Amino acid sequence: MNETAHGEKKQTVTRTIEAPAKDIFQILTLPARHQEFDGSGMVRADEKSQRLQQVGDTFVMNMHNERFGDYRMENHVVAYDENKLVGWKPASPGTEAAGWQWVYQLQSVDQDTTEVSLTYDWSQVTDADLLAQNIFPAVSGEQMDASLAGLQSLV
């Protein structure tokens, strides 16, 4: 795990997974599977979302955390490159994304091995009220690493 330096507004974790990139990508692009590898414990279930296929797709997740209880997030796909990259920006349903994003990058090491990086980036959050709540990062590097470990266990 390699987290960025304190004070930066993003953190990245990386793990080498013994599986082809296409197999990992298939799991990442199916929101119904996200709860199975979520290391934060916040993802509960998707709202019958379709497989992610391109930038502009959206999917809705039912979420829960101690601070806010049960809530829903509408995720807007902002990065997509088949078998290499997928990322999204969460938003409250019906609103613009608030500026943080999740990005998974897949780098094939060989035919059956992939280096997977997960980046949580909140550098574009500009809402003063949201920033004043001091909730970023809402997910720790350890929880992110647990997500990659969960992803590894599924392939």
Side-chain angles (χ1 to χ4, degrees), residues 6-20:
H6 183 72
E8 286 192 46
K9 294 184 175 187
K10 70 178 179 179
Q11 56 194 20
T12 298
V13 294
T14 300
R15 176 178 286 252
T16 301
I17 296 178
E18 299 296 323

Side-chain angles (χ1 to χ4, degrees), residues 120-142:
Y120 170 38
D121 182 343
W122 61 97
S123 63
Q124 296 175 24
V125 175
T126 58
D127 183 301
D129 292 335
L130 196 56
L131 291 169
Q133 293 178 41
N134 199 30
I135 59 172
F136 296 101
V139 176
S140 71
E142 289 79 17

Side-chain angles (χ1 to χ4, degrees), residues 84-97:
K84 295 180 183 174
L85 177 74
V86 64
W88 53 85
K89 287 185 176 180
S92 293
T95 68
E96 291 290 317

